[in-house]
């Protein structure tokens, strides 16, 4: 509510921003690079504190909760993935150290990485996952989300490093994972968020538009321009 935030004194990153993410619904945040999308996610996870305004969960100020309790309620799948020089199974189990091998393999299957686990037979993946591709690292992050899903699911370009076939397969699993959860999606590929209950369009730290895909297309402004530009690029 009315959030102001900046990384430096010279430029405001978010300006008097108010957004509402409804419980159990899918919300999407789109906009050009530098529009403030990832900053919003960082504030929700309380990696930073707003300079003005407040963030609330069920009308309770985020400052009233411990960091551990906030992060226990959030599952984040992002492009920035921490990978340890351990086996794939251990990397996935990082989300829930008490998980059995059966539970890990079930999560890995949903993330399309079970076969790779079986092939590698417990081999470490190298420092920072140096032996893995970007898509394989992203599937580890997705498997972690399947292993320990929290009430709030944040997907920050969660399938950006995947090929089209794998992305299509995982998208079905992600829809199952998101059912009944408060889901917040940041996506460059706008076709991935057409089914969102609400889409927030950011521009230079401010909310430019909001609505469903059809409402925003009918409006014919910034979101509509972005969709037409992507369609022409892919065509």
């Amino acid at each position: 509510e009315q959030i102001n935030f900046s990384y430096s004194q010279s430029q405001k990153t978010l300006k008097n921003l108010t957004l509402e993410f409804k419980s159990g619904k899918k919300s999407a945040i789109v906009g050009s690079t530098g529009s403030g999308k990832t900053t919003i996610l960082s504030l929700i996870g309380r990696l930073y504190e707003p300079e003005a305004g407040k963030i609330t969960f069920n009308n309770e100020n985020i400052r009233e909760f411990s960091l551990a309790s906030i992060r226990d309620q959030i599952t984040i799948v992002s492009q920035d993935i921490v990978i340890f020089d351990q086996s794939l199974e251990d990397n996935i189990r990082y989300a829930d150290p008490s998980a059995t091998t059966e539970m890990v393999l079930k999560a890995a299957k949903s993330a399309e990485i079970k076969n790779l686990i079986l092939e590698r037979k417990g081999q470490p993946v190298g420092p920072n996952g140096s032996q893995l591709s970007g898509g394989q690292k992203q599937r580890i992050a997705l498997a972690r989300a399947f292993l320990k899903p929290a009430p709030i699911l944040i997907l920050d370009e969660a399938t950006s490093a995947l090929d089209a076939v794998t992305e299509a397969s995982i998208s079905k699993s992600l829809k199952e994972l998101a059912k009944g959860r408060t889901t917040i999606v940041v996506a460059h590929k706008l076709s991935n968020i057409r089914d969102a209950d609400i889409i927030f369009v950011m521009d230079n730290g401010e909310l430019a538009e909001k609505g469903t895909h059809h409402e925003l297309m009918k409006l014919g402004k910034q979101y509509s321009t972005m969709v037409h530009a992507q369609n022409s690029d892919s065509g």
Side-chain angles (χ1 to χ4, degrees), residues 11 27 57 60 67 113 149 162 167 170 190 195 206 211 231:
Q11 187 175 9
S27 305
F57 290 110
E60 296 284 337
L67 284 176
I113 200 169
L162 303 180
E167 182 180 24
I170 287 178
L190 300 179
D195 63 338
E206 298 179 279
N231 288 344

Side-chain angles (χ1 to χ4, degrees), residues 33-125:
T33 301
S35 60
K37 304 185 297 295
T38 299
T39 300
I40 294 168
L41 304 184
S42 297
L43 290 169
I44 291 171
R46 209 174 166 195
L47 296 175
Y48 301 101
E49 301 285 356
E51 293 164 10
K54 64 179 179 178
I55 298 168
T56 61
F57 290 110
N58 296 332
N59 297 317
E60 296 284 337
N61 197 307
I62 196 172
R63 293 175 183 269
E64 301 300 317
F65 301 101
S66 68
L67 284 176
S69 67
I70 292 168
R71 291 171 188 172
D72 200 42
Q73 300 299 308
I74 299 174
T75 294
I76 299 178
V77 182
S78 70
Q79 300 175 85
D80 187 16
I81 304 157
V82 176
I83 304 290
F84 304 100
D85 188 11
Q86 298 171 1
S87 69
L88 285 170
E89 184 178 330
D90 286 339
N91 266 286
I92 294 169
R93 189 179 277 112
Y94 173 71
D96 182 2
S98 66
T100 63
T101 296
E102 185 181 4
M103 292 164 66
V104 171
L105 290 177
K106 184 181 177 183
K109 184 178 180 181
S110 295
E112 298 275 334
I113 200 169
K114 179 181 176 181
N115 288 344
L116 188 63
I117 289 178
L118 299 177
E119 287 169 15
R120 291 187 64 90
K121 299 177 180 177
Q123 290 179 310
V125 297

Side-chain angles (χ1 to χ4, degrees), residues 10-26:
S10 60
Q11 187 175 9
K12 286 279 185 194
T13 305
L14 299 177
K15 306 162 191 173
N16 200 34
L17 181 67
T18 297
L19 305 176
E20 182 180 12
F21 304 103
K22 294 196 173 181
S23 177
K25 301 294 185 182
K26 179 179 178 178

Side-chain angles (χ1 to χ4, degrees), residues 144-163:
R144 288 171 177 168
F146 285 112
L147 183 62
K148 191 182 181 183
I152 300 170
L153 177 63
I154 294 178
L155 305 174
D156 184 7
E157 300 283 7
T159 59
S160 60
L162 303 180
D163 62 82

Side-chain angles (χ1 to χ4, degrees), residues 190-203:
L190 300 179
S191 58
N192 288 344
I193 52 97
R194 289 178 64 129
D195 63 338
D197 295 288
I198 188 164
I199 300 167
F200 299 108
V201 184
M202 295 294 297
D203 184 22

